[in-house]
Amino acid sequence: MQLTDFMQLLTSLDDRNALFLVAGDQEIPLSKVTLARESCQLTAGDKPLTLGHLKRLLGRGSQDIPLHFLADGQEVPVYGVQIQAAKGRLLCK
């Protein structure tokens, strides 16, 4: 998935939504962003990033670079986002 595509999916959503990664049967908080010239990584951790925080970290001009999701050092493929509005969560799966 490209970073620009991912950010476009989330454009109209509430910035207070927390980001989680679905890996197997687990929902793991996405807590770290690593942005480099050639790619962007969202890494699982203890406390989830909010969508607003992610937008601030990435800046206004999202780049057309690959986006990778990591949990326990392993890349997890993500094909879309499930919105859990009542819980204020976005599940990347």
Side-chain angles (χ1 to χ4, degrees):
M1 179 179 292
Q2 296 293 101
L3 179 58
T4 50
D5 297 334
F6 180 72
M7 294 307 292
Q8 213 168 29
L9 282 172
L10 308 178
T11 301
S12 63
L13 300 177
D14 189 334
D15 283 350
R16 295 173 290 182
N17 283 305
L19 295 166
F20 288 82
L21 175 64
V22 176
D25 61 347
Q26 297 181 348
E27 295 176 1
I28 307 165
L30 287 169
S31 60
K32 182 180 177 187
V33 177
T34 305
L35 183 63
R37 185 174 300 179
E38 65 281 346
S39 70
C40 180
Q41 293 180 344
L42 290 177
T43 308
D46 296 326
K47 185 179 176 191
L49 289 168
T50 63
L51 180 55
H53 192 195
L54 178 65
K55 287 177 181 178
R56 285 190 298 279
L57 289 172
L58 294 176
R60 291 187 183 266
S62 294
Q63 301 162 349
D64 193 26
I65 55 176
L67 176 61
H68 304 282
F69 295 84
L70 300 173
D72 295 326
Q74 300 292 322
E75 187 168 345
V76 178
V78 170
Y79 302 102
V81 176
Q82 179 182 359
I83 303 164
Q84 293 181 334
K87 293 182 179 180
R89 296 164 40 127
L90 301 172
L91 301 179
C92 302
K93 52 196 239 173

